[in-house]
Amino acid sequence: KQWYQRRVRGTTMDAQLSFIMANLAMIERGDLVYDPFLGTGSLIIPAAVHGAYSLGSDIDVKALNGWGKSTKRGEEKYQDNQNIEGNMISYGLDHLYLGSHAADFSKPLLRDSPLFDVILTDPPYGIREASLKVGPKSDVQQSQFTLSEQFLELLNFSARALVVGGRLVYWLPVIRDLYSPTSLHLAHLRQHLHL
């Protein structure tokens, strides 16, 4: 059977890359997989194909529910089944989908204890999709979430939320011509990690 995701939004991760990430995470049947930047759910489909239970969160409730104007030519709005649950049902994987919730990753709603076998994610890095978090003045206002802030939050969250032996696999954009190992400022990040 060929696995691919119906594109719900223009920023859906390519199916082959999603499967490569799931393979890198060494997902096994029965694992619990979490995507804190769930979006359209393209990473939890290969996790479920491997037999893992999957769930996630995202600040964009429209992406989670498939609401809004369609990006497909000739379609005014998304169809009722053009969402994460609809994709999981169409592949017969809905029994492995535990659901999603709208949340700001910088203010996680989950309890602070090891829970997940794998965190598999593609954070928004502000190129195709804005990187946002809830702003300081209001629960509704959104402000920019820089790549370095996201990376630090992701590492700290993973250190708290992954079981012993758990794995974090994420997508990190780099410009190859400008990349060097020091460009991530790992020494600076180590000072801010809460391990």
Side-chain angles (χ1 to χ4, degrees):
K1 185 170 188 176
Q2 180 162 353
W3 297 99
Y4 62 93
Q5 184 189 18
R6 288 176 280 163
R7 293 199 179 266
V8 178
R9 287 216 167 327
T11 57
T12 299
M13 172 69 81
D14 178 79
Q16 288 179 329
L17 294 177
S18 296
F19 273 89
I20 288 169
M21 289 178 70
N23 286 333
L24 287 171
M26 298 181 293
I27 293 172
E28 296 178 1
R29 183 171 303 285
D31 279 353
L32 184 57
V33 177
Y34 182 68
D35 183 351
F37 299 100
L38 185 60
T40 61
S42 59
L43 293 177
I44 63 171
I45 290 171
V49 169
H50 287 295
Y53 295 96
S54 304
L55 69 154
S57 63
D58 201 287
I59 196 168
D60 185 354
V61 72
K62 289 180 179 181
L64 290 175
N65 293 299
W67 296 339
K69 186 176 182 202
S70 177
T71 56
K72 291 182 179 180
R73 179 177 288 163
E75 260 186 29
E76 185 65 29
K77 63 178 193 163
Y78 293 108
Q79 305 300 312
D80 289 341
N81 66 348
Q82 284 181 302
N83 55 33
I84 298 167
E85 186 176 15
N87 278 331
M88 296 301 257
I89 290 169
S90 72
Y91 301 131
L93 300 170
D94 49 309
H95 63 287
L96 296 168
Y97 176 53
L98 302 178
S100 64
H101 61 274
D104 178 355
F105 179 67
S106 69
K107 296 171 178 47
L109 297 174
L110 301 170
R111 63 187 166 128
D112 217 13
S113 63
L115 181 62
F116 304 112
D117 299 294
V118 174
I119 296 174
L120 186 67
T121 194
D122 177 26
Y125 22 88
I127 296 171
R128 294 188 302 168
E129 198 72 34
S131 304
L132 301 172
K133 64 180 177 178
V134 174
K137 295 183 181 179
S138 161
D139 289 341
V140 193
Q141 174 195 10
Q142 293 180 342
S143 62
Q144 290 299 313
F145 197 17
T146 67
L147 185 58
S148 58
E149 286 176 317
Q150 277 184 34
F151 188 54
L152 184 59
E153 289 286 338
L154 182 59
L155 293 177
N156 280 321
F157 172 76
S158 299
R160 295 186 313 269
L162 285 169
V163 298
V164 173
R167 291 140 337 260
L168 165 65
V169 176
Y170 59 91
W171 196 258
L172 181 67
V174 294
I175 300 171
R176 286 193 300 182
D177 294 342
L178 303 177
Y179 174 77
S180 77
T182 58
S183 63
L184 293 179
H185 307 289
L186 293 178
H188 172 72
L189 285 172
R190 274 192 214 105
Q191 294 172 4
H192 297 287
L193 284 174
H194 307 289
L195 301 176

